[in-house]
Amino acid sequence: MAIIKLTSRIKVMERKPMSFMERIYLPAVFKGMAITLSHLFKKKTTISYPEQKRPMSDVFRGLHILKRDENGAERCTACGLCALACPAEAITMTAAERKAGEQLLYREEKYAAVYEINMLRCIFCGLCEEACPKAAIFLQNDVMAPPSFERGDFIYGKDRLVEPFPQI
Amino acid sequence: MSDWVVKFIFIVVIFALSLFIAMYSTYAERKIAAFLQDRLGPNRAGPFGILQPLADGVKLFFKEEFIPRASDKWLFLMGPGLFICTALMTSAVIPFAPDLMWDGKLISMQATDLNVGILYIFGVVSLGVYGILIGGWASNNKFSLLGAIRAASQNISYELAMGLSIVALIMVTSSLSLKDIVSQQSGWHWNVIYQPLGFLIFIICAFAETNRAPFDLPECETELVGGYHTEYSSMKLGFYLFAEYINMFISSAVLATLYFGGYQFPFISSMDPGIAKTILGAAVMFGKIFFFIFFFMWVRWTLPRFRYDQLMNLGWKILIPLSVINILLTAGFILFKS
């Protein structure tokens, strides 16, 4: 029966009896030990995490931030495009109308009274960032959502999302 | 101070030292394992993690003390105790340093100079397997029993080859006392030069006797869960693990004593028996011991475990015939020289 070759890279194993040097195993053992000994002096690959951190890429998509404009007013107008763009449906918001005297707080007449992102649902794809017409939401490249034992901790409201007031 | 007070202090010091070295062997093992695998190893408890053994000990003490209902309770309790007890007994005949001249008296740095020191070590080492056997049997667990049976057959098989390799050594030294054997190896006249094959057989058997990788079949996590200590928890498990490290320390000491000149170093004979000589000798001895402990770990993190039939083949079909040949060769050389 002809053997059908599925690939041209077949290597036929030669099953010949081991030579004397192979059968006493000790040369192979010493070779292995030399290899492990050389690793004793090699640079360790571990990064001691809390003290040392890996450099992050500029395009890393981490924790969200709701930006303010140059006057310190919130840019978000609660248009809902981010929530619509979100493939994981992690964003919910409630809109409200700006009252007189709040011009310094909110940039447009409409603003988000409640803005919540569920970080357990979020897949950090960055589509909200792309959808936003007001350049209000961004994914930071140096902050990640920290771990927690409570599920409730992962629903981020405005208190944790909005950029702090610029220090004057 | 009378003699027996000195002896008592010495024995307590050796006892404490064995425990201390065993304790830090666990740390060294983890560090060396890590370094050989390009990792850092434990480094959180204290600087460089040197408090890790204490943390491990505290952890083991606070673990639940569990005795299976189906087990033979008294034997179950006896197993670890017996194992650690025999492990600690072996150090009695090892000379750790040259005799100390103090107040015009020579103080021996050896708990007791038995004239059958090697036989004593063999006797105690072969008792050691009872700790494993009893513990494994009393657990009333299939895995434990298999581990215990493996330990017993492994120890019996390798003791033969070990004993035969020692016979050739005794033919060279013509003494069974460890003190005589060490004092014969002054300068560079280490027994390993006269008995290279015997040394090779002895060290392979020492690995098997201490149940260290590549011969750790009695534990064998991948096949037998935990082997003979599957059912053990808390400090009873700690005793088993600890005794393994004491065994490693003792067999390193025996290896250094029998084949690598013990406390002997090249210019030792030109020194007066004083504190300096004793301390230097002890430092040399412990240097050799630590090298062998490192060697044990180095081998463990290099070689994979033997299969059981390979283990038995190696023991019965290779090591025993080899050690018989070694005896014949040694006898031939002695006859030829005289």
Side-chain angles (χ1 to χ4, degrees), chain B residues 275-298:
Chain B
I275 286 183
K277 184 178 174 179
T278 303
I279 288 176
L280 211 56
V284 168
M285 175 72 174
F286 278 96
K288 288 170 183 172
I289 291 174
F290 292 149
F291 171 75
F292 277 112
I293 292 178
F294 170 72
F295 188 77
F296 268 86
M297 293 168 181
W298 182 12

Side-chain angles (χ1 to χ4, degrees), chain B residues 130-328:
Chain B
Y130 281 97
I132 296 179
L133 198 57
I134 286 174
W137 185 78
S139 303
N140 204 353
N141 174 321
K142 301 283 187 295
F143 288 123
S144 303
L145 186 62
L146 276 173
I149 290 169
R150 280 182 177 194
S153 54
Q154 177 179 324
N155 276 32
I156 290 166
S157 311
Y158 279 78
E159 246 158 45
L160 289 173
M162 197 184 220
L164 289 174
S165 71
I166 286 295
V167 167
L169 181 79
I170 292 164
M171 284 159 75
V172 174
T173 60
S174 55
S175 170
L176 286 167
S177 154
L178 288 174
K179 197 168 185 173
D180 289 352
I181 290 175
V182 172
S183 53
Q184 280 169 12
Q185 302 178 64
S186 61
W188 285 103
H189 295 286
W190 291 357
N191 281 333
V192 68
I193 299 164
Y194 304 107
Q195 285 287 321
L197 187 59
F199 168 70
L200 188 69
I201 296 165
F202 189 88
I203 199 167
I204 292 172
C205 295
F207 276 93
E209 292 283 309
T210 48
N211 297 328
R212 292 282 301 180
F215 304 112
D216 57 346
L217 284 120
E219 287 176 43
C220 201
E221 294 91 344
T222 42
E223 294 165 27
L224 296 181
V225 192
Y228 58 90
H229 55 56
T230 305
E231 295 288 351
Y232 282 91
S233 64
S234 185
M235 210 50 208
K236 291 204 289 296
L237 174 68
F239 267 27
Y240 269 125
L241 302 182
F242 215 64
E244 193 189 313
Y245 285 97
I246 298 171
N247 273 334
M248 201 162 84
F249 165 60
I250 298 299
S251 48
S252 299
V254 171
L255 273 164
T257 312
L258 292 183
Y259 288 98
F260 278 80
Y263 53 74
Q264 300 276 10
F265 51 96
F267 51 92
I268 191 167
S269 46
S270 59
M271 289 176 82
D272 294 326
I275 286 183
K277 184 178 174 179
T278 303
I279 288 176
L280 211 56
V284 168
M285 175 72 174
F286 278 96
K288 288 170 183 172
I289 291 174
F290 292 149
F291 171 75
F292 277 112
I293 292 178
F294 170 72
F295 188 77
F296 268 86
M297 293 168 181
W298 182 12
V299 168
R300 172 168 179 186
W301 296 104
T302 304
L303 299 181
R305 187 183 296 126
F306 274 64
R307 218 168 52 212
Y308 200 66
D309 60 317
Q310 290 172 332
L311 177 91
M312 285 295 152
N313 271 342
L314 180 67
W316 288 97
K317 291 191 191 161
I318 297 167
L319 289 183
I320 290 177
L322 256 187
S323 44
V324 171
I325 291 169
N326 188 38
I327 291 172
L328 292 177

Side-chain angles (χ1 to χ4, degrees), chain A residues 1-129:
Chain A
M1 200 178 88
I3 297 164
I4 304 159
K5 276 189 186 171
L6 293 174
T7 166
S8 57
R9 285 180 294 179
I10 289 174
K11 264 188 193 170
V12 180
M13 273 285 291
E14 273 187 71
R15 295 201 180 275
K16 54 185 177 190
M18 287 197 287
S19 67
F20 177 72
M21 287 306 269
E22 281 170 335
R23 252 186 310 147
I24 57 173
Y25 287 111
L26 285 174
V29 168
F30 289 134
K31 217 162 102 185
M33 287 175 72
I35 290 171
T36 43
L37 191 69
S38 75
H39 277 265
L40 193 63
F41 308 105
K42 277 194 182 148
K43 199 176 165 289
K44 314 292 172 233
T45 47
T46 311
I47 289 176
S48 311
Y49 167 60
E51 295 94 45
Q52 279 177 305
K53 279 177 184 157
R54 269 176 213 277
M56 289 224 229
S57 157
D58 286 341
V59 293
F60 182 82
R61 298 190 297 263
L63 194 67
H64 312 67
I65 191 167
L66 286 173
K67 302 290 275 186
R68 294 176 188 279
D69 68 1
E70 58 278 9
N71 299 321
E74 285 176 26
R75 303 183 80 111
C76 179
T77 67
C79 64
L81 282 176
C82 50
L84 203 65
C86 184
E89 301 187 348
I91 304 176
T92 47
M93 65 182 76
T94 313
E97 201 176 338
R98 183 178 71 185
K99 303 216 169 54
E102 289 181 335
Q103 280 90 339
L104 277 174
L105 282 176
Y106 309 111
R107 188 181 165 93
E108 317 272 342
E109 287 93 52
K110 197 173 139 221
Y111 70 96
V114 178
Y115 192 100
E116 283 179 348
I117 302 178
N118 187 339
M119 293 300 170
L120 292 176
R121 299 202 65 140
C122 179
I123 58 170
F124 299 94
C125 61
L127 286 184
C128 47
E129 187 180 299

Side-chain angles (χ1 to χ4, degrees), chain B residues 47-66:
Chain B
F48 304 108
I50 52 167
L51 298 178
Q52 190 67 41
L54 292 177
D56 287 343
V58 169
K59 185 206 101 173
L60 279 171
F61 271 111
F62 281 103
K63 287 273 177 178
E64 186 190 354
E65 192 88 40
F66 185 78

